[in-house]
Amino acid sequence: MTTVPFSRIRWDRVGRLALIAVLLFILALYVRPLQGYWSSWQEAKTKRAEVTALQQENRELRARRAALSSEKALEQEARRLGMVKPGERAYSLKGLPEGP
C-alpha cells in the first residue's frame, strides 16, 4: 500500500487568493478612468451653469438693446447722463430732498 505524501500547500486557498489578487488588480485599473470621468462630469456641470447664466445675461442685454433703440429711449438715456439738446440750457439744482 502506497501512501500519498501529505501536501502542506492548500491549493484551493492559493487559487482563491490568486483570483482575489487578479480581481483587485483589475479594479485598480479602473480607478484612474473613473476619477477622470468624475472630474469631467463635475466640470461639465459647472460649465452648464455658466452657460445658463450667460444665456440669461444675453437675453437681458438684448432686451435692453431693443428698449434703447427707439428715439424716445435714446433721449431719456442721454438726459439721464446729463446731456441737453442744442439750444437748451442746463440747470443744476442743489439742496433738493432725495427722491420718493
Side-chain angles (χ1 to χ4, degrees), residues 7 15-16 20 35 37 40-41 51 67 69 73 81 86 89-90 93 95:
S7 176
R16 277 188 232 140
I20 289 172
Q35 287 175 338
Y37 175 76
S40 296
W41 182 72
V51 167
S69 64
L81 294 172
R89 187 175 292 174
L93 302 177

Side-chain angles (χ1 to χ4, degrees), residues 18-28:
L19 286 174
I20 289 172
V22 169
L23 178 65
L24 290 175
F25 177 73
I26 291 171
L27 288 175

Side-chain angles (χ1 to χ4, degrees), residues 4 12-15 17 19 22 26 28 30 32 34 36-38 40 45 52 59 61 64 75 81 83 92-93 98:
V4 178
D12 58 337
R13 287 188 180 176
V14 172
L17 288 174
L19 286 174
V22 169
I26 291 171
Y30 278 96
R32 188 164 304 262
L34 287 175
Y37 175 76
W38 179 259
S40 296
K45 186 178 170 183
T52 303
R59 282 191 294 272
L61 289 172
R64 181 160 166 76
E75 183 178 343
L81 294 172
M83 297 180 184
S92 178
L93 302 177
E98 294 286 327

Side-chain angles (χ1 to χ4, degrees), residues 79-99:
R79 292 200 179 272
R80 187 184 67 79
L81 294 172
M83 297 180 184
V84 294
K85 288 182 178 180
E88 289 183 339
R89 187 175 292 174
Y91 292 96
S92 178
L93 302 177
K94 296 181 182 180
L96 294 176
E98 294 286 327

Side-chain angles (χ1 to χ4, degrees), residues 58-74:
N58 189 326
R59 282 191 294 272
E60 292 169 1
L61 289 172
R62 286 180 186 269
R64 181 160 166 76
R65 182 186 71 183
L68 291 176
S69 64
S70 71
E71 283 292 323
K72 185 175 180 183
L74 286 174

